Amino acid sequence: MKKAILALEDGVWFEGEGFGADGEVFGEVVFNTGLSGYQEILTDPSYKGQMVCMTYPHIGNYGINTADSESSRPWVEGFIIKELSPVVSNYRSEMTLDQYLKKYNILGIQGIDTRKLVKHLRTVGAKKAVISTQELDPKKLIQKAKKSRGIEGVDLVKEVMCQKPYVFEDVMPMEFAWGDQQKKGFKVVAVDSGVKWNILRKLNQHGFHVQVVPASATAEEILAYKPDGLFLANGPGDPAAVKYLVATVRKLIGKLPMFGICLGHQMIGQALGGKTSKLKFGHHGNNQPVMDLKTRKIEITSQNHNFVVNIESLPKDEVEMTHINLNDKTLEGFRHKKYPIFCVQYHPENAPGPHDSDYLFSRFYDLIEKSQKNA
Amino acid sequence: MPKRTDIKKILIIGSGPIIIGQACEFDYSGAQAVKALKEEGYKVALINSNPATIMTDPDLADATYIEPLTVEFLEKVIIKEKPDAVLPTMGGQTGLNLAVEAYEAGVFKRHNVEMIGAKYEAIKKAENREEFKRAMQKIGLDLPKSDFAYSLEEAEKVAEKIGYPVIVRASFTLGGSGSGVCHNIEELRTTARTGLDYSRVHEILIEESIVGWKEYELEVMRDTNDNFVVICSIENLDPMGVHTGDSITVAPAQTLTDREYQRMRDAARKVMSEIGIETGGSNVQFAVDPKTGRMVIIEMNPRVSRSSALASKATGFPIAKFAAKLAVGLTLDEIPNDITKYTPASFEPSIDYCVVKIPRFAFEKFEGVDDRLSTQMKSVGEVMSIGRTFKEAFQKGLRSLETKRFGFGGDGKDKIFDLTLKTREAYLQFLKTVPQDKELREKIFAYAKIPREDRIFYLKYAYLAGYTTEEIYKKTGVDPWFLAQLKQIIDLEGELLAAQGKLKQQDGLMRKAKQYGFSDRQLAFYWGLQEKDVRKKRKGLGIKPVYKLVDTCAAEFKAYTPYFYSTYEDEDEANPSRKKKVMILGGGPNRIGQGIEFDYCCVHAVMALKKMGYETIMVNSNPETVSTDYDTSDKLFFEPLTLEDVLNIYENEKPLGVILQLGGQTPLNLAKSLLANGVKILGTSVDAIDRAEDRDRFKKLLKKIGLRQPANGIATSLEEAHQIAKEIGYPVVIRPSYVLGGRAMEIVYDQTSLKKYMKHAVEASDDQPVLIDKFLEDATEMDVDLISDGKTAVVGSVMEHIEEAGIHSGDSASVIPPFSISREIVEEIVQKTKRIAKELGVVGLMNVQYAIQKDQVFCLEVNPRASRTVPFVSKTIGVPLAKLAAQLMVGKTLKELKFTEEIVPKHVAVKESVFPFVKFPGVDIILSPEMKSTGEVMGIDKDFGKAFYKSQDAAMSHIPRKGTVFISVKDTDKPKIAEIAREFHKLGLKIVSTKGTAKVLKEAGVPAEEVLKMVEGSPNLSHWIKEKKMDLIINTPSGKGPMLDEGKIRSLAVSFNIPCITTLSAARAAVRGLQAVRDDDLDVKSIQDYHGVKGKP
């Protein structure tokens, strides 16, 4: 057994057992309430800069397989769980969680009262923290956590985006693809600010040729692909720190139909003059109820965000609210009244999470189709 | 969508008596539904034949009918109540089937009643296997290969095509009746025959065996707006092949990746849309091939179920309550989540703990029963336990079972075939030798393959014998993830054993051991200590459990519902208040002898004490119950009912006292040890309990009161037993002391049987002596429930049993008021019972049993606790005895409660018992001192005959008004049978008899057709039964012995669903029933009307 300490900047600390890699890492601690899907969470680039605590106690049960990854590598800074499974039981598993984290030099800590941690975060909000297997003096670690950089105001997108443009052609394997493969009709440029692969897989499935570009691509570079639409992806960190992308989006409003997810939603919001703010402890899980205000239907959604677009900050005459979170009534989606632009704060591509919001990809396709007809 | 306003009154159908496959969970769902609908402003009427339910309490629904669940009575209730709608999805399979039958009979159309919750078409589509299969194929879901058969020949053909092994499933049955795995044509023929017979539509499905696959269940809800949520996923530890009710199951699913889980969720959603369950809760079962991941759908239930009750308790999400609200048109987003208050019900619960459900069996009650588990459910109850990890929850679950186990073995109760490991030394010896003992280890490994009640322990023994996870997985199909968890427990046990005598190591291991769910009792065993030493040591180390909240959201939001489980971690959330509070111990898992009646009493105590301003703390481990609804008590602890677990809560909460006498024998058994640990016991003193239970002290007590007792003695050896039996004379009743439900109680007629009995009685009694009583032949048994405040005592009711003394009181039909015993004797019983109460200083409830032989009163036993009959008596006399008792226990007097005089009801009520024989083919159905019934029904009417007739209808043992009665009785009954047969003849029934009885009847001038016995050639009796050429069987047993012709007749009667009466007294009662309904049609009347109370406006 390898001792490990998790210390938060506000003085709370936990002693547990280390797994995965050894060392010392910093990040903001958040919790995720999903009962399954740790592999997708680990590989979601939006978690860059964060350490994730899983609320479900048994983690690692089904191991890790390459097919279910959401990007080329895990991005979390640290992984906090109650208990690591001693074995792996799944026909698709290729390695254990422990082996995987070691491979990518990521620290895990297990054996702590994760519920106590979650209740604490729920009360005080997300906190900067450190996990260490080297320094075991909690007092020193608390000081280190305090001094760490945190994620507010930091541009983490640059650290996770692709470096060069590429065409994405991967699709879901038949047995797990819900819905049929649509004939490809439109080309979309997907701005990679930390995009999850399932978004790209879903775009493919819903009839798009997918051209991926880094978040640093300029409006001109994007338009040079002559796309039928623009897709704005999820991504890590503080949306206020990604001003260059907001500027790009602003330039393209009115020029291209747009669909944004998560950070993409926040980019569109800001480009239209809205403001973002940080939630106390964010939404991270697979069970968030969202209502489509038009159909009054409820979607159980996959979410992972710390920041939201403030409803009041958006120009009322230009923007119509389309989705809200039924738990805390925060904004979950809006559309532009004049231009073919819409976006959601949550993850219709799920992975992990329910497939209830899949219709949004078709909606994007239909929107482009309609806008081209009208043009 | 707002709720419907075109509906004003709704009729809810209950589930009837507790039977295997249908237990208290439907009282829980029914009671929730009544409350939910009333909350929304609807008038609610209710029909249920089971008096021991909270849902039939007169102040719950507006009109409550304790009437048989048959189309006939349902229609009568509808005529009287004129409901706008009927909600059939709360009463289990019974409720659903009744609704289908009523619909098909045109009842709903005739009276303009709408089915809500699930439409007729939807039920048909879900329940009829052919329609279901078609529907699933339509939406592209994979199913096991299968086909239907409507005859034996067809069945054989289909099985041939699919290839053995195959599974046979009967359409429209309960708990998998008439289902089973068949490995060859012989097995197929037997199973298919029963299956065809059980199916309401004579249809069976024969399907590809997917035995050994992983089994999953999703509990889902859908509203009128097509909003869909999964409340809980469940993964079975036992792979496919064992009925899910008999499996150890775990929530949430453990070994599915998110992709695999979401695929299952999508499938469940499609199923709901296709079947058309517009509103409410359902469950959908899946199987997954562990090698390829191929997922097939097994079945869906278009109603709330046992697993939805489990899911509700496992997550804190009240499925039945919300299902009722959805049925009247509300949508999920319009219903607030009770627990978080500020978030809506339209979400999927997330949990941050692990839940384990373990079934409870009662095979020891049924001689010659096949105890292998299969697709037909055999368990009688279940426990649920919660822990932060599977290991913790699993060991807690095992000690919740009330099977005297304290965890996953290592508790002094391990038994490997005939080898018992009572001591640490024996255990160590076994550990040392078993890996080398080739014969034993192979025997263990072979035994572990077949699912049985104790298979889980053999998985451990297989590990101890040196088998690897891989080997055990291949043999048993139990998923390696579960096996690895078990292995972790076993490995830690090894470390614990090695720490004996090493104090420092023990201290070092203590916390981890507790986190793995080990009990103090197990640690004491490993370390050669007493439980109390371990407790002291543990507390000295500061290792105490903390209590965590069940909050539906994994701590994401603040929760307002105090629903807790224990674990060994840092933060305690129990937050004990400083209010005056009372702790109530529940009854644990349902089993024969202890069931819903005690939960009813506990719930009543909670209600009464809450009303008085006490904070109520409920402790129980049974997920089916109303007592474990977080809505019931102020604080709920979902914990095992052992000394350790109860003391932990007590010390944390510091209530002013604990109520033990309402939860049956389970809490009462803890009385002495709780007292010794300084716990304040409310109500009747522990000493008084001992005076009633200790044989010697009991003898003295009766002597003091001036009550006769059958001659008796106590024996600790075979020799002593012989001596006593000789002195008092055969026949004798023999039993171990301190038992429940007549466990191992037998009437012994001679020395040989005595010897045989003594051989297996020791195990049932844990080295306690056996009690030997003179058996009173031809005596009438009486039962009295009494309530007392220590000074004043009032008899709730005196009940007369229909079956004679010698048949367990829990299995007899019982009647209020007495119908054949003289007023003088009844009065004597009343007075003597009161004197016992006074002498013992009873505060609360007490039950006394008497036998009347030749006008002499004998006292059989005194139980200073609430009895099984409390709800029956309460509903008959219109006084909630358990509520009053709880108030007395905190100092109220009967005078203050205005209950000082006996109530003589103007009506007659009959309680009839209901038996599980149909689940145990081949078992003889005769009644004995060993209790075998799982549930009860009540018939209530103006006179005895009508009430009895109704009770038989309710017990699904319909007395035919016309047709054929088969009569065959033992020699000693022959002189008395003619008068009974004559009455049947007069009532227009045809009589058929075997030679001996026919001769007696003919001599007495009663016409009777003769039929051959089975041994006499063909066609014989068995053909008559199989062709259903008889409508009633009267057959009294000639004595307990090997399976005789008569035993076969009786079990065949059960298989072919022909009512079978096994005592003359019951036959006489049947005659009176028939006479009563001959000219006068039966009427229905609500409980509120019987007692002159109006439902609350």
Side-chain angles (χ1 to χ4, degrees), chain B residues 322-587:
Chain B
F322 292 169
K325 296 201 175 196
L326 299 186
V328 293
L330 286 167
T331 50
L332 283 163
D333 56 305
E334 292 171 329
I335 305 170
N337 177 349
D338 290 348
I339 289 189
T340 59
K341 284 188 184 169
Y342 298 107
T343 58
S346 55
F347 78 113
E348 303 197 334
S350 178
I351 63 182
D352 55 5
Y353 45 82
C354 184
V355 178
V356 178
K357 176 217 80 175
I358 308 179
R360 174 69 153 83
F361 297 89
F363 292 123
E364 70 278 7
K365 296 251 167 196
F366 302 93
E367 208 182 316
V369 67
D370 181 0
D371 67 350
R372 289 173 303 177
L373 306 182
S374 67
T375 50
Q376 173 156 313
M377 184 166 162
K378 291 174 177 172
S379 61
V380 294
E382 64 187 15
V383 296
M384 181 184 103
S385 55
I386 312 177
R388 280 280 277 161
T389 62
F390 169 80
K391 293 179 280 288
E392 182 176 51
F394 172 67
Q395 294 222 71
K396 277 168 86 174
L398 287 172
R399 67 177 191 264
S400 301
L401 273 178
E402 300 284 319
T403 48
K404 299 183 181 172
R405 299 309 302 250
F406 286 87
F408 192 36
D411 51 0
K413 310 283 177 188
D414 284 295
K415 188 165 175 282
I416 297 112
F417 305 111
D418 290 332
L419 181 66
T420 50
L421 307 177
K422 282 186 192 158
T423 62
R424 180 175 184 274
E425 289 63 40
Y427 198 69
L428 286 173
Q429 183 64 24
F430 171 74
L431 291 182
K432 209 170 122 191
T433 54
V434 69
Q436 277 83 47
D437 189 337
K438 192 164 176 288
E439 195 186 332
L440 180 60
R441 71 190 292 268
E442 279 170 10
K443 201 173 157 195
I444 287 171
F445 197 45
Y447 190 85
K449 182 182 166 66
I450 311 294
R452 283 190 179 87
E453 175 180 7
D454 57 353
R455 191 259 288 264
I456 189 77
F457 288 101
Y458 280 82
L459 296 178
K460 176 176 179 177
Y461 305 145
Y463 268 120
L464 296 178
Y467 290 96
T468 63
T469 301
E470 186 57 25
E471 287 170 312
I472 298 172
Y473 167 58
K474 278 199 177 131
K475 189 84 170 176
T476 64
V478 175
D479 192 275
W481 188 83
F482 291 114
L483 291 175
Q485 298 289 319
L486 302 184
K487 183 70 170 34
Q488 284 186 313
I489 296 175
I490 295 165
D491 288 346
L492 185 58
E493 179 187 84
E495 287 182 53
L496 292 166
L497 276 164
Q500 197 238 351
K502 298 170 189 159
L503 295 184
K504 228 178 143 184
Q505 285 184 27
Q506 290 177 2
D507 293 356
L509 286 167
M510 183 71 88
R511 180 170 284 276
K512 187 172 178 191
K514 298 310 284 185
Q515 286 178 336
Y516 272 42
F518 283 97
S519 62
D520 288 352
R521 190 72 90 94
Q522 285 167 295
L523 298 182
F525 181 81
Y526 301 138
W527 296 338
L529 301 171
Q530 295 291 311
E531 182 184 352
K532 62 176 195 300
D533 304 330
V534 175
R535 184 174 184 83
K536 205 172 148 197
K537 184 180 171 72
R538 179 167 61 73
K539 283 167 73 179
L541 290 167
I543 299 173
K544 287 194 294 185
V546 295
Y547 296 91
K548 299 266 185 203
L549 259 179
V550 171
D551 62 6
T552 72
C553 61
E556 187 176 0
F557 305 103
K558 192 168 165 36
Y560 294 86
T561 310
Y563 171 10
F564 301 95
Y565 65 94
S566 72
T567 187
Y568 285 82
E569 271 191 325
D570 301 347
E571 190 184 41
D572 184 63
E573 301 175 39
N575 198 13
S577 75
R578 300 173 112 190
K579 292 181 203 155
K580 41 176 196 170
K581 44 195 164 182
V582 175
M583 189 163 150
I584 297 133
L585 301 190

Side-chain angles (χ1 to χ4, degrees), chain A residues 33 83 89 114-115 355, chain B residues 266 350 388 391 479 569 573:
Chain A
T33 60
E83 192 173 297
S89 171
T114 48
R115 183 171 165 90
H355 302 163
Chain B
D266 286 347
S350 178
R388 280 280 277 161
K391 293 179 280 288
D479 192 275
E569 271 191 325
E573 301 175 39

Side-chain angles (χ1 to χ4, degrees), chain B residues 1050-1078:
Chain B
R1050 289 186 293 262
S1051 67
L1052 212 55
V1054 170
S1055 298
F1056 286 84
N1057 203 11
I1058 300 172
C1060 188
I1061 292 174
T1062 60
T1063 63
L1064 286 190
S1065 45
R1068 275 187 209 107
V1071 167
R1072 288 185 60 181
L1074 274 181
Q1075 286 165 340
V1077 299
R1078 185 179 39 190

Side-chain angles (χ1 to χ4, degrees), chain B residues 838-896:
Chain B
K838 203 158 200 179
E839 176 60 31
L840 289 178
V842 167
V843 177
L845 291 161
M846 179 181 79
N847 168 272
V848 185
Q849 286 168 22
Y850 296 95
I852 318 299
Q853 191 187 41
K854 300 187 179 97
D855 285 347
Q856 283 200 321
V857 176
F858 291 84
C859 181
L860 300 178
E861 60 180 271
V862 172
N863 295 306
R865 58 166 170 85
S867 75
R868 207 173 287 115
T869 42
V870 165
F872 168 60
V873 171
S874 298
K875 289 205 171 137
T876 304
I877 65 172
V879 177
L881 293 175
K883 272 187 190 165
L884 300 187
Q887 296 175 65
L888 301 181
M889 285 183 254
V890 292
K892 287 270 178 197
T893 62
L894 282 167
K895 211 171 157 190
E896 285 170 322

Side-chain angles (χ1 to χ4, degrees), chain A residues 104-121:
Chain A
Y104 289 97
N105 200 30
I106 291 172
L107 266 75
I109 180 170
Q110 66 161 325
I112 69 163
D113 188 342
T114 48
R115 183 171 165 90
K116 181 184 173 184
L117 173 63
V118 171
K119 281 184 68 194
H120 181 67
L121 296 176

Side-chain angles (χ1 to χ4, degrees), chain B residues 55-312:
Chain B
M55 72 191 294
T56 56
D57 269 352
D59 45 8
L60 216 58
D62 296 294
T64 308
Y65 290 83
I66 303 185
E67 302 285 359
L69 291 171
T70 61
V71 174
E72 181 191 347
F73 286 96
L74 179 67
E75 183 162 19
K76 285 178 201 277
V77 170
I78 288 175
I79 290 168
K80 204 149 189 178
E81 288 295 323
K82 303 185 180 59
D84 305 298
V86 57
L87 180 62
T89 51
M90 298 292 157
Q93 198 64 39
T94 300
L96 212 58
N97 284 354
L98 178 58
V100 166
E101 279 178 56
Y103 180 94
E104 286 171 354
V107 172
F108 299 144
K109 204 172 171 191
R110 211 152 39 236
H111 304 288
N112 202 16
V113 179
E114 180 188 342
M115 278 169 86
I116 57 171
K119 301 275 176 238
Y120 171 76
E121 293 72 23
I123 299 174
K124 284 289 274 192
K125 215 189 248 187
E127 297 274 311
N128 179 295
R129 294 192 174 276
E130 190 150 12
E131 285 188 38
F132 183 69
K133 187 178 165 188
R134 260 202 307 272
M136 293 305 102
Q137 281 165 343
K138 191 180 143 203
I139 54 173
L141 294 185
D142 199 358
L143 297 116
K145 282 179 273 176
S146 67
D147 217 335
F148 290 92
Y150 300 88
S151 70
L152 223 47
E153 297 71 47
E154 257 184 283
E156 285 172 24
K157 265 185 222 155
V158 173
E160 199 67 37
K161 204 172 74 195
I162 292 172
Y164 290 97
V166 293
I167 295 180
V168 172
R169 294 170 187 273
S171 295
F172 273 99
T173 60
L174 182 85
S177 291
S179 301
V181 186
C182 309
H183 297 88
N184 50 50
I185 192 161
E186 283 74 37
E187 286 179 13
L188 176 83
R189 279 183 188 143
T190 324
T191 314
R193 192 177 293 126
T194 351
L196 284 166
D197 196 72
Y198 283 143
S199 169
R200 226 170 47 78
V201 288
H202 303 289
E203 175 187 278
I204 53 171
L205 178 74
I206 297 171
E207 67 184 17
E208 171 192 2
S209 168
I210 45 173
V211 170
W213 287 25
K214 304 211 254 191
E215 188 169 350
Y216 295 91
E217 214 167 313
L218 296 187
E219 297 304 320
V220 303
M221 296 198 81
R222 180 174 182 248
D223 67 20
T224 42
N225 210 13
D226 196 27
N227 294 315
F228 168 89
V229 287
V230 176
I231 307 308
C232 190
S233 64
I234 297 172
E235 179 164 344
N236 292 8
L237 183 145
D238 295 287
M240 285 298 297
V242 178
H243 190 281
T244 188
D246 285 354
S247 298
I248 296 177
T249 66
V250 179
Q254 302 292 340
T255 61
L256 293 176
T257 64
D258 190 64
R259 277 191 181 178
E260 290 151 18
Y261 170 71
Q262 298 303 341
R263 174 175 61 172
M264 201 173 270
R265 185 182 181 275
D266 286 347
R269 179 173 203 144
K270 278 188 185 169
V271 173
M272 290 296 275
S273 302
E274 175 58 28
I275 300 293
I277 303 304
E278 280 167 2
T279 50
S282 293
N283 75 344
V284 191
Q285 279 163 258
F286 296 94
V288 172
D289 185 342
K291 290 184 196 76
T292 63
R294 180 183 159 206
M295 179 184 84
V296 297
I297 181 163
I298 306 299
E299 65 172 24
M300 77 99 64
N301 286 306
R303 54 172 171 85
V304 300
S305 63
R306 181 178 47 258
S307 23
S308 62
L310 182 74
S312 298

